[in-house]
Amino acid sequence: MIDEKQLRDALLDKTNAYLDEIYALNDGMAREPETGSEEFKSSAAIVETLRRHGIETEYPFAGFPTAFKGVINPEKKQRMALLAEYDALRGLGHACGHCASGSASVLAALAFNDLKEQLDFGVDIIGTPDEEIAGIKCLMADQGVFDNYDFAIMVHMGGFSTVEVKYIALDGLGFKWKGQPAHAAAAPEKGRNALNAARLFMDATDMMRQHIIEEARMHGFIKNGGAASNIVPEEAEIEFLTRAPRRKDLNYITDWVKDCARAAALATKTEVEMFPVGAPFHELYISELGKKTMEDCYRDLGIEFAEGESGMTGSSDIGNVDYRCPAFHPVMGIGKPEYQCHTQEFADEMTKPNTHEGIRNAAAMMIAMGAKLYGNPELLAKIKAEHKEYRGY
């Protein structure tokens, strides 16, 4: 059995040689942000880094042009997956910090690769593009990409460090109503108002809120509401999100929302088209044992973290990975506890020394989790057994 502390310390020491290179990788992605499924420069830069240091990497991977898979110790049966994100937000650049979190996963992979001869396990680094829009991890999970791992891990960046994340299930929904245009003053009776249908839909979903579980969330916006004030709007479009703590609760809510769209069309004598916006996101399960293990790693590394305070509330395709194997998703602070992701001020921090330190710490966290779980086989077996019982597979 490998010694947890010796392996952790040896791996951490290996990261020092790559820091400047990894910080440059992060800064390049931060300065040239690429949105979901368009991360061609970012993914190519990561793959070039992995290959330059001897990590055999498949690129593209799993049918996605900006995805990749780097393999360390392919002959080992026991395997962990490092997940790397690198997509930016529409209109805000790397305000979610994926340039930094993805770079941290690369740094951890390089350290594992340097000591691969001493490892009793294998490590794969999987580039998972388009988390913000399409949710490529969901599609990868459907393909079985994550089925044979002991666990998967990535570290998200945040204002402060914590293991408390609340990633709930999400459905992205698109609705388009088609009506009949007419002159709004000369012949309004000949028109059928698609914008009225969209407004009625928004009112109907607002009325739902008092009758669904308190933890649920619903929000959306009108993408198209007409072309001119003197024309009855022929088309209207809404992008809408539904969320709930568990997939089984969300399915009921999403079906109800679709009924509201149909009802709005019926009431306004318009037609409605419904379509998904991205893949359905499932919830992330964090067991008490998994939570304690992550907290112990923070303490082992001497990294301060906020106990009991959530660093992330929202949804992510990491939940779909967790339906296939235990998935860990702690948050590493960038030294700005007052800052929130998805803001311009957070994006502005991505090339600064405090974020560079966050990258180093995030890689250390993934290394520490690998050393702890493989250095304590009984702990890993218990986490896997609890996860299997919870997920029912």
Side-chain angles (χ1 to χ4, degrees):
M1 183 176 71
I2 60 176
D3 181 87
E4 173 196 343
K5 185 177 185 304
Q6 287 181 356
L7 178 60
R8 183 187 70 231
D9 291 348
L11 287 165
L12 292 177
D13 184 63
K14 290 295 182 181
T15 63
N16 294 326
Y18 300 110
L19 292 178
D20 289 344
E21 184 177 359
I22 292 300
Y23 297 160
L25 175 67
N26 166 77
D27 293 358
M29 290 191 288
R31 293 185 177 118
E32 292 189 75
E34 297 171 301
T35 55
S37 294
E38 298 294 330
E39 319 94 327
F40 293 101
K41 290 182 180 179
S42 298
S43 58
I46 293 174
V47 169
E48 195 278 329
T49 301
L50 296 173
R51 287 175 174 170
R52 185 169 63 249
H53 294 289
I55 298 177
E56 185 176 337
T57 305
E58 181 180 351
Y59 175 65
F61 172 65
F64 305 106
T66 58
F68 61 84
K69 179 182 178 181
V71 180
I72 301 168
N73 286 347
E75 74 283 358
K76 300 294 185 181
K77 184 177 180 180
Q78 284 193 302
R79 308 197 67 78
M80 62 179 283
L82 298 170
L83 308 182
E85 296 177 346
Y86 34 89
D87 62 317
L89 280 162
R90 291 175 286 184
L92 279 178
H94 276 288
C96 209
H98 291 176
C99 56
S101 62
S103 296
S105 294
V106 175
L107 179 57
L110 295 178
F112 279 118
N113 188 59
D114 272 2
L115 289 182
K116 63 183 178 182
E117 304 295 338
Q118 301 177 37
L119 304 181
D120 296 331
F121 56 92
V123 180
D124 293 341
I125 177 169
I126 302 177
T128 59
D130 205 343
E131 185 271 342
E132 297 288 354
I133 304 172
I136 297 300
K137 293 187 198 66
C138 305
L139 305 180
M140 286 183 170
D142 290 343
Q143 292 183 28
V145 167
F146 307 108
D147 285 1
N148 297 316
Y149 290 108
D150 296 312
F151 64 93
I153 186 168
M154 62 169 288
V155 177
H156 206 287
M157 314 311 288
F160 57 89
S161 300
T162 182
V163 304
E164 302 280 354
V165 293
K166 297 178 181 178
Y167 282 142
I168 60 180
L170 172 146
D171 285 329
L173 308 168
F175 302 98
K176 287 184 179 179
W177 288 268
K178 177 77 172 179
Q180 178 65 42
H183 194 293
E189 73 281 359
K190 294 181 179 179
R192 295 293 179 264
N193 195 315
L195 177 60
N196 281 350
R199 292 175 54 216
L200 189 57
F201 167 80
M202 295 297 279
D203 286 343
T205 53
D206 277 344
M207 293 175 187
M208 281 178 58
R209 296 179 194 276
Q210 63 179 311
H211 302 298
I212 58 177
I213 57 175
E214 184 178 355
E215 299 84 359
R217 297 289 184 269
M218 299 190 300
H219 37 97
F221 72 104
I222 297 175
K223 296 182 70 173
N224 173 25
S229 57
N230 60 353
I231 302 172
V232 174
E234 178 184 10
E235 293 183 352
E237 181 177 355
I238 283 179
E239 184 175 305
F240 202 79
L241 300 178
T242 58
R243 306 180 196 245
R246 297 288 300 274
R247 168 52 57 185
K248 64 180 183 180
D249 298 319
L250 184 58
N251 288 340
Y252 171 76
I253 293 169
T254 296
D255 286 345
W256 191 348
V257 167
K258 291 178 179 178
D259 284 343
C260 290
R262 296 185 188 99
L266 181 64
T268 55
K269 290 191 178 297
T270 58
E271 297 178 353
V272 64
E273 174 191 356
M274 296 181 278
F275 51 91
V277 178
F281 288 11
H282 300 334
E283 75 279 3
L284 176 64
Y285 166 61
I286 305 174
S287 69
E288 287 301 313
L289 182 58
K291 176 182 172 182
K292 180 181 182 302
T293 303
M294 289 187 285
E295 290 178 340
D296 287 345
C297 284
Y298 270 125
R299 295 188 184 99
D300 292 342
L301 294 167
I303 297 173
E304 294 185 4
F305 65 98
E307 297 187 55
E309 186 173 352
S310 177
M312 288 283 167
T313 299
S315 305
S316 172
D317 54 5
I318 189 72
N320 296 57
V321 179
D322 191 68
Y323 268 60
R324 302 290 182 155
C325 71
F328 299 102
H329 198 280
V331 175
M332 186 62 67
I334 62 167
K336 296 287 183 179
E338 70 278 16
Y339 284 10
Q340 293 288 330
C341 291
H342 288 217
T343 62
Q344 188 59 56
E345 61 187 7
F346 196 86
D348 291 341
E349 293 296 313
M350 286 301 102
T351 59
K352 295 182 180 178
N354 51 298
T355 295
H356 290 169
E357 183 66 19
I359 292 170
R360 183 178 188 175
N361 289 340
M365 182 62 171
M366 287 179 274
I367 286 169
M369 284 290 288
K372 184 173 290 294
L373 291 174
Y374 285 117
N376 298 275
E378 292 180 359
L379 172 62
L380 177 57
K382 189 172 182 180
I383 284 177
K384 291 173 68 175
E386 288 184 357
H387 184 271
K388 184 175 182 178
E389 181 180 3
Y390 179 83
R391 289 299 187 197
Y393 62 86

